[in-house]
Amino acid sequence: MSLATLLAVLGSVLIWCLLSLALVQVGRFLSRYHPASPGLWWALLALSFVPFIPLPDMTPNGSVPLILYDFAEQTDKFQVNTEILLTANTQWDWLWVFIALTSLVALLSVRQGARLLSKLTSLRALMASAEPLEDSLYKSLAPLTRVNGRQNGRHNGYHNGCQVPVYVLPLDCTAFAAGVRHPVIVMPRYFTTLPQHKQQTLLLHEMTHLVHKDHIAIMIWQLVRCLFWFNPAIAKMEAAFINAMEARCDAQTIGRYGINRQQYAATLLDALKYSTLNKTPNAVAGFASEALSLADYKSRLVQIMKPVKARHRFVFFNLLLIGVCCAFISFQVRPLLSPQTPNWQWPMTEYEISAHFGHVSAFRNHQPHGGVDLVAAKGSPLNAVATGKVLVADDVTLSKNYGKVVLIQHSNGYQSLYAHLDSIAVSPGDWVSAGDVIGTLGDSGRVTGAHLHLEILADGARLDPLSIFSKD
């Protein structure tokens, strides 16, 4: 891995973080027109990845093209020096830097995962202390805890007529729903002392969470935050998702069961008061979530009392526009993160072209010429036509017809070959810049006079050098 590739990867991560933060601001704006839409935040999370999926392939081809062996007369020449196929030492150093950074990110992700596991362990210990709701109270509330096969026209994943167990904790905290295969509702200690209408409100709110499987969605967000802890926008998106999730749950609970808005708001205030006494792990769908700030609760109460009319089409078309913008960003950013077209220049300033690309002659056994021949005085310095890494610099790797030859790997799959040199000034693995001297013009190999045979290749195929740069 080269330094350019490492910087490109780090640049991709930085741009993703900045784009995600920008999408958070866009999401907050759209939430004004549809505050009860948790799907908005799933969409924005997915859109943040659009410009970088898949990541551009930034690894250059560092091998000798097989086409260069076409001139070989002996089968024993058909072999590649293993040192040429290895990456330069400087590249291996950057590879180890990349491995070290990746390992650090992975270790910190594991650390975040351990914290989440600790939360779940605390939650399990908390639930182990819960007792089933007393029979007399449970019987009166039992009709409210039955999950039908379909609600709101959507299949909710539970068996038709499934009865959800209700448990009571020996402490005062928020009510919450939990469980994947066997979902349960857990109520705080003060639940049994509440008036019946507040008991029903709490219970129906948690039942709505179960219908939408919000407790599972929160767990997925927690896992995403563990994996991408280095992106501060993920935590902001998670909090905004929970806010929208609770707004949806409030709206559907009030609308479906006809609950008085003032009574619902009063129940929420009671839950907030008691939830400050004992905090529950932020990995459940609770009536009062720790992920929400005081400002979020104020906004939630306003939405309960004076709900905003959802503008679904407005939000949808804006998301569509954002998707187009992300695609445009992808189109603009990918070239910046990928190797650029080489900075071509001619290897000499004074020369004459004696043979063009594709020229056929008896001297070459009537085979098309694979490059251009540049005639100049023997011993004239030859410059690299572009920045790159030296793959070959000898007279033994390729056919003896080439004589002393230099092969350089450039960006975007381009390569340049310089044959019939008199002397070589570089070694395999060296990095050269455009204009650096790589050797001198000569008459080694099978030639009729001193000249430079120059070839340009792209992804293993020969190109006409005059199509890359014109004669000055």
Side-chain angles (χ1 to χ4, degrees), residues 73-91:
E73 299 176 352
Q74 302 175 5
T75 56
D76 61 346
K77 293 294 184 182
F78 194 76
Q79 59 183 0
V80 180
N81 189 335
T82 55
E83 292 180 359
I84 296 173
L85 298 179
L86 294 177
T87 310
N89 292 334
T90 54
Q91 288 183 295

Side-chain angles (χ1 to χ4, degrees), residues 247-258:
R248 179 186 63 184
C249 191
D250 293 337
Q252 292 192 2
T253 304
I254 292 172
R256 183 184 302 159
Y257 301 105

Side-chain angles (χ1 to χ4, degrees), residues 79 97 116 121 124 160 181 186 216 236 326 426 469:
Q79 59 183 0
V97 171
L116 176 59
T121 303
R124 178 170 295 184
N160 189 30
R181 290 185 301 174
V186 181
I216 298 177
K236 296 179 184 294
C326 287
V426 292
F469 36 59

